[in-house]
Structure formats: C-alpha cells, structure tokens
Amino acid sequence: MTRVEEFEELRSLLFAIAYRILGSVSEAEDAVQETWLRYDASATQPTSTKAYLSAVVTRVSIDVLRSARVRREQYPGNWFPEPLVTDPYADPARSAELADSVSMAALLLLEQLTPLERAVFVLREVFAFDFREIATAVGRSEAACRQLAVRARRHMDEGRPRFEADRRERDELAARFFDALREGDVDGLLELLAADVQMIGDSGGKAPQWGKGVVGAANVARVLRSIFPPFVAIGGTLEPHTVNGQPGAILRDRDDKVINTWTLEVLDGRIQAIRTVLNPDKLGHVGPVADAWALLREANRVRRPTD
C-alpha cells in the first residue's frame, strides 16, 4: 500500500479527531492537509501509521486551537462550532456515541477546556486511545495525561444534563416540531418547547439575528410564528437534517442557497434550545451561501401586518 493509500484510508478518522478538538470544519480540513504534508515529507516509515498520523493531527490541532481561542474570545456575539452535516467517520458499532460527541452542547462544553485537556479527552473518551499513545500525541507523560483526562472528564460530566433523550425520542419530537412550524400551529409549538427554551444564533456580526437570543416558550413560539410564513412566502424551504449528530435543519432560499442551520437540543421530552448558525463564513462547506440580509429585506416586504 502506498503512502497516499494509507493516508486516504485514515483521512476520515483524522478529520473526526481534528473536528472534535477544533469545532471547525474548515480548520479540521486544514489540519488534516497539514498532517499529510508532514507525513509525505517524512523520510521514515512509522511502525504504526494510524498512531503516527493521529499524533500529528492532534499536535497540529492543538496549535491551531491555541491561536483560535484568542479569536473566539473577540468574536462578536455567540460563538458556535461550524455545523457538521456529514460525518465521514463511520463506525456503526459506536455511531450514537460518536454522534453525541459532536453535538453543539458537547462541543461548547469542550470549548471550556484547555487545548491539552480537550485533546486528551477526545483521544481517550471518544476514540479510546491508550495513555501511551495519548502521551506521544500531546508530548506529555502518561501520568500527566491521566490527570488531564480526569480533570476534563469531571468538567464534562458536571456540564452534561443528568438525563438525556434517546435518539428515537429526539427524532420524533423534532419531526412534530417542524410539522407544527410549517402549519403555523402555535399551540403545537408551545407543547414541544421547554418553559425556559432558548433560541440563540451565531451570526458573527455578518447576518441578521435575534439580538442576544430569545428566551421562554411563548417568546420563541411568537418569533417562529412571525418569521416562518414570510420565509416560505419568498420561496424559502426548511430541510430537516441531522446537524452535529442531532436533529436539526438546513434552511435554504428559492435558489437552494444555504441561509442557516438549526440544531435542536432535546431533553426531558421538550426542546431546550434551538441553536442557529447564520455566519456565512461557517456555512460554505454546506453549500453556496445566500445573502441573508437581502432575504430579510424581502421577507419584511411581504410580512403581513398581523404577523
């Protein structure tokens, strides 16, 4: 097997590691490409290509994350990970676990870890690397990696909800939510939204959004009822789609360009959060991106006074 073939066989794994460390599709793809360049330039053949490439992509991702954290601290408004609509890393035996590890909620918790803690957690808890491999990947002793893993796991456990919905329940509730939205059924929406539900957007200051967010079932239902009919009237479509391993949707304009993505966080039989990514810089990998400002102006022209 050639080096190119070896690398291509492991590409999806390398991307999966990098995305979970970085929370960015574009940065993860760049990290994988840099890993290939280093592998191609190396004069020696590693004993384990998987271990070698995983270590390289981890180190590259840690370096990228350290610089990215400064930018994210200065980011205007809410920062969300770039939406992942297709996860190329397929492992049927662990599909649910892998999907949960890229959920918006999980990635936002990972954002609160240090780069080293995040890398160790991803390698250990998601991909089950042993501590010898992790120590090589992050350049720390096995003992130090065990301590990093304990701290990271404690923080993640503290931030996770006590009871999580199963996948079937989430999908069924999401389908009912989208049906109620299409039908303008406010009562149906209220039945599905948690009392303290949050609707939060990441626009990066480059697309319209709802200020700092909308909180409360009645407020969220009112906003949804206000924006969806004009959206449909100008040719917009809502395409239910798994986003970051969770029920969600891709919203498109009449020309099939991407406006934004939604993810629904479902707990205790209710939707607890609706997270939307509107920043056009984060949507290019999903498809051609629409001009959200122009669409908003058009929607406002057709909005009925009673909406």
Side-chain angles (χ1 to χ4, degrees), residues 5 72 74 119 170 199 238 256 268 275 277 281-282:
E5 291 171 334
R72 292 174 190 179
Q74 301 169 345
R170 288 187 305 210
M199 188 171 180
L238 182 150
D256 207 35
D268 300 327
R275 294 190 175 94
V277 176
D281 294 345
K282 295 186 176 184

Side-chain angles (χ1 to χ4, degrees), residues 33-64:
Q33 181 62 21
E34 177 63 23
T35 299
W36 160 249
L37 293 174
R38 295 188 186 187
Y39 181 45
D40 188 43
S42 174
T44 59
Q45 180 63 31
T47 303
S48 168
T49 304
K50 176 183 175 182
Y52 174 82
L53 293 176
S54 297
V56 173
V57 82
T58 297
R59 291 191 210 108
V60 171
S61 297
I62 289 172
D63 290 342
V64 172

Side-chain angles (χ1 to χ4, degrees), residues 57-303:
V57 82
T58 297
R59 291 191 210 108
V60 171
S61 297
I62 289 172
D63 290 342
V64 172
L65 182 59
R66 283 173 173 149
S67 61
R69 288 173 78 92
V70 176
R71 297 193 303 274
R72 292 174 190 179
E73 288 170 359
Q74 301 169 345
Y75 192 81
N78 302 299
W79 180 92
F80 290 159
E82 288 184 11
L84 184 68
V85 296
T86 302
D87 188 351
Y89 185 65
D91 184 346
R94 300 177 56 238
S95 60
E97 179 184 351
L98 288 166
D100 288 343
S101 70
V102 292
S103 70
M104 286 282 182
L107 291 173
L108 288 171
L109 279 175
L110 284 169
E111 278 293 304
Q112 300 176 43
L113 304 180
T114 68
L116 277 177
E117 287 172 343
R118 184 165 181 165
V120 169
F121 181 87
V122 167
L123 292 177
R124 180 62 180 173
E125 299 297 325
V126 180
F127 296 102
F129 280 53
D130 64 40
F131 281 108
R132 178 182 57 80
E133 294 171 314
I134 296 171
T136 299
V138 302
R140 295 291 187 274
S141 68
E142 290 187 40
C145 289
R146 290 179 187 278
Q147 292 178 343
L148 288 165
V150 168
R151 288 203 302 268
R153 190 182 305 115
R154 183 186 305 122
H155 181 85
M156 295 295 288
D157 288 344
E158 288 172 353
R160 282 193 176 116
R162 187 174 178 184
F163 301 107
E164 297 187 13
D166 65 37
R167 186 162 300 278
R168 182 175 179 179
E169 178 188 353
R170 288 187 305 210
D171 292 343
E172 290 178 350
L173 193 147
R176 291 168 56 199
F177 170 78
F178 291 131
D179 285 344
L181 182 60
R182 292 188 186 97
E183 294 166 7
D185 181 1
V186 174
D187 290 339
L189 291 173
L190 288 171
E191 181 184 340
L192 300 171
L193 299 172
D196 57 351
V197 62
Q198 299 181 65
M199 188 171 180
I200 315 167
D202 170 357
S203 73
K206 298 182 178 184
Q209 66 173 35
W210 316 278
K212 294 183 178 179
V214 182
V215 180
N219 293 330
V220 170
R222 183 171 62 251
V223 168
L224 290 173
R225 178 64 183 86
S226 172
I227 66 175
F228 199 71
F231 168 73
V232 173
I234 63 172
T237 59
L238 182 150
E239 171 192 329
H241 200 292
T242 299
V243 180
N244 285 84
Q246 309 298 308
I250 301 172
L251 276 68
R252 301 179 186 273
D253 69 5
R254 66 168 65 89
D255 299 318
D256 207 35
K257 292 183 177 180
V258 178
I259 302 169
N260 60 27
T261 62
W262 292 13
T263 55
L264 308 182
E265 184 175 320
V266 178
L267 296 170
D268 300 327
R270 294 287 187 275
I271 295 171
Q272 305 288 333
I274 303 170
R275 294 190 175 94
T276 69
V277 176
L278 308 101
N279 185 342
D281 294 345
K282 295 186 176 184
L283 298 171
H285 64 282
V286 181
V289 181
D291 182 342
W293 289 109
L295 291 170
L296 177 62
R297 291 191 294 271
E298 185 179 359
N300 284 337
R301 287 195 294 269
V302 303
R303 192 186 303 272

